[in-house]
Amino acid sequence: MCSLVFDLGSSQSRIGFSGDDAPYVVFQSVVGRYHNHQQDSIFSSSWDPQVQLISTTPQDQFLKSSSTIPEYLDIEYPIERGVVTHWDSMELLIEHYLNVLANKQHPNNSTAQEDALTSMMILFTEPALNPIENRLQYFSLLFERFQVQTAQYQLTGVLSVYASGGFSAFSIESGDGVTTILPIYEGHTMPSCIKRLDLGGRDITDELMKRLMERGELSSMMNNTLSATSNNQTFKSMNHYYQCHEQVKKIKEQQCSIRTSYWETYDDTTFKQYELPEGGVLKLCERDLQECGELMFQPECFMHTDTSAKSLTGLGDLIFEAVSGAGIDCRKDLYGNLVLSGGNTLMSNLGARVSSEMIARAPSAVKIKVVAPPERLHSAWIGGSILSSLSTFQSQWITRGEFHEVGPSVVFRKSLV
């Protein structure tokens, strides 16, 4: 039997084989549907020509890269802030992931591929404090729809700590749509100290996009994007948001940084030019590039976000609350091993800012150490690869027979958290 690891995120999904050092392939968690196509007829085959999956890798010829999405497709994100909101599209993605890995194992052998699909063992990831219904639906989909042999789940924050090689650490994971704070002491999670912030990289991208629009820069970028993707006037507006959002996301990843201290001043006077891949130049304000990331630490200042920002706690306060909730004898070890993971933590200076925030709050005698592994974009997947390959983990798998015989309660009986 083959053991697989699925790290299913709001923006990207990482899939691969247990024991490997890195995921085999990374896909965008996006489905493109033809306009006016009926959703209840898209499952007529393993890959229906009426649905296209969007990939960041060239493994499959029928996939479209994010920069060349045709205008005639409606774009859908099945996962929002770590929670699946469109299960029909999620089923399509999982089916494709399984087919890709089965084809990797048995190229050009359809019979062997079909046999491999039913014998697969899947460890999937989930952010902390996700709805229980979401987890149970994953198990139901894997066992009943895809007939996999065994499955199990683990929290992304826990897996990121495993990837860092620690047993006592404070996981700070921030992805595209959700940020989780999870203390682990001597290999055990502290459920009462787990915190969650429904903000992430996509919110920062939205903030930068808003500011570019206010400065009149977004309109020129939209025109360039449109002229580069399609000449069809009928469908020009259908994928405007997605195309522009992806471009602004690249600008954020390349140009944005965050203040290393709350007291650091902004630069209002400096502008820089940014050349678009399709042609044209944007004028970027340094203050915008520095201030957008402040959303993570002062969400109450950004009231236009799609969450109730006024009621959200900033990242610095959230970390301090979580550590303060742990036992006094644990806090020193937690402060000394703050582990960053997730794509949003790649933002320049974020580690230094977390360190600054903790130094300002923690007792002066406590040593603060922020660990930012270079592979933190894939930390959760790597941790899953390590965990699922351990001999001591094999008894923790939930079998399809157990799920059918005992019911969903077996998930709680064999819970790893």
Side-chain angles (χ1 to χ4, degrees), residues 262-317:
Y262 173 78
W263 306 107
E264 189 176 320
T265 58
Y266 291 115
D267 184 351
D268 285 303
T269 59
T270 304
F271 289 80
K272 63 170 63 175
Q273 290 188 332
Y274 179 87
E275 294 186 7
L276 295 168
E278 299 86 2
V281 176
L282 295 183
K283 191 177 180 182
L284 305 177
C285 176
E286 283 286 358
R287 177 174 184 132
D288 292 343
L289 299 176
Q290 296 168 0
E291 197 172 29
C292 289
E294 200 66 28
L295 172 70
M296 299 301 300
F297 294 89
Q298 299 185 78
E300 69 278 2
C301 298
F302 300 82
M303 296 304 296
H304 58 274
T305 56
D306 63 352
T307 58
S308 301
K310 189 174 182 179
S311 63
L312 295 177
T313 303
L315 185 57
D317 289 332

Side-chain angles (χ1 to χ4, degrees), residues 95-380:
E95 180 177 16
H96 180 67
Y97 300 161
L98 290 171
N99 288 334
V100 167
L101 296 181
N103 184 62
K104 167 64 176 177
Q105 284 187 300
H106 307 284
N108 304 318
N109 188 334
S110 58
T111 302
Q113 289 177 23
E114 291 178 5
D115 293 338
L117 289 174
T118 58
S119 63
M120 285 180 174
M121 307 164 68
I122 298 178
L123 174 68
F124 65 89
T125 68
E126 194 178 53
L129 303 183
N130 247 23
I132 294 175
E133 294 78 12
N134 190 80
R135 185 184 314 151
L136 296 179
Q137 185 66 23
Y138 267 128
F139 277 104
S140 178
L141 190 64
L142 293 175
F143 285 136
E144 297 177 3
R145 167 64 177 85
F146 297 109
Q147 299 290 302
V148 301
Q149 185 70 22
T150 63
Q152 187 53 283
Y153 84 100
Q154 184 53 284
L155 301 181
T156 51
V158 173
L159 296 176
S160 296
V161 171
Y162 290 164
S164 72
F167 286 94
S168 293
F170 195 94
S171 170
I172 304 169
E173 185 182 51
S174 185
D176 187 65
V178 63
T179 298
T180 58
I181 312 297
L182 194 148
I184 299 176
Y185 188 71
E186 295 183 351
H188 300 285
T189 60
M190 300 179 177
S192 63
C193 300
I194 296 176
K195 304 292 182 180
R196 174 174 171 137
L197 177 65
D198 280 338
L199 290 175
R202 186 173 299 182
D203 298 284
I204 298 176
T205 303
D206 288 342
E207 175 63 22
L208 180 58
M209 196 168 177
K210 169 182 172 289
R211 293 180 180 227
L212 289 173
M213 183 178 295
E214 291 174 345
R215 293 185 182 275
E217 297 292 333
L218 192 60
S219 57
S220 60
M221 186 180 72
M222 290 172 66
N223 291 333
N224 277 307
T225 303
L226 288 172
S227 62
T229 56
S230 175
N231 291 321
N232 190 329
Q233 300 293 321
T234 305
F235 299 119
K236 272 189 175 183
S237 63
M238 300 304 292
N239 282 333
H240 272 196
Y241 174 79
Y242 183 83
Q243 298 284 356
C244 292
H245 195 272
E246 287 299 299
Q247 185 62 65
V248 174
K249 180 181 177 182
K250 292 177 182 177
I251 296 173
K252 177 198 70 175
E253 293 170 347
Q254 296 171 13
Q255 303 292 332
C256 282
S257 62
I258 193 166
R259 294 185 298 176
T260 57
S261 168
Y262 173 78
W263 306 107
E264 189 176 320
T265 58
Y266 291 115
D267 184 351
D268 285 303
T269 59
T270 304
F271 289 80
K272 63 170 63 175
Q273 290 188 332
Y274 179 87
E275 294 186 7
L276 295 168
E278 299 86 2
V281 176
L282 295 183
K283 191 177 180 182
L284 305 177
C285 176
E286 283 286 358
R287 177 174 184 132
D288 292 343
L289 299 176
Q290 296 168 0
E291 197 172 29
C292 289
E294 200 66 28
L295 172 70
M296 299 301 300
F297 294 89
Q298 299 185 78
E300 69 278 2
C301 298
F302 300 82
M303 296 304 296
H304 58 274
T305 56
D306 63 352
T307 58
S308 301
K310 189 174 182 179
S311 63
L312 295 177
T313 303
L315 185 57
D317 289 332
L318 209 62
I319 295 171
F320 181 69
E321 286 179 11
V323 177
S324 299
I328 296 177
D329 56 333
C330 306
R331 296 176 191 175
K332 181 179 178 181
D333 290 336
L334 296 177
Y335 274 127
N337 196 16
L338 302 170
V339 180
L340 302 181
S341 63
N344 196 35
T345 66
L346 294 172
M347 177 171 285
S348 178
N349 297 331
L350 190 136
R353 177 61 179 273
V354 169
S355 180
S356 173
E357 295 275 336
M358 292 304 100
I359 290 173
R361 291 170 170 80
S364 57
V366 174
K367 182 182 178 180
I368 305 297
K369 182 181 179 182
V370 177
V371 180
E375 70 280 1
R376 60 188 180 277
L377 180 63
H378 304 306
S379 285

Side-chain angles (χ1 to χ4, degrees), residues 376-394:
R376 60 188 180 277
L377 180 63
H378 304 306
S379 285
W381 189 94
I382 294 171
S385 176
I386 294 170
L387 177 64
S388 58
S389 62
L390 296 176
S391 59
T392 53
F393 178 77
Q394 302 315 304

Side-chain angles (χ1 to χ4, degrees), residues 8-20:
L8 308 171
S10 304
S11 175
Q12 292 183 333
S13 293
R14 296 162 180 81
I15 62 172
F17 301 96
S18 174
D20 285 358

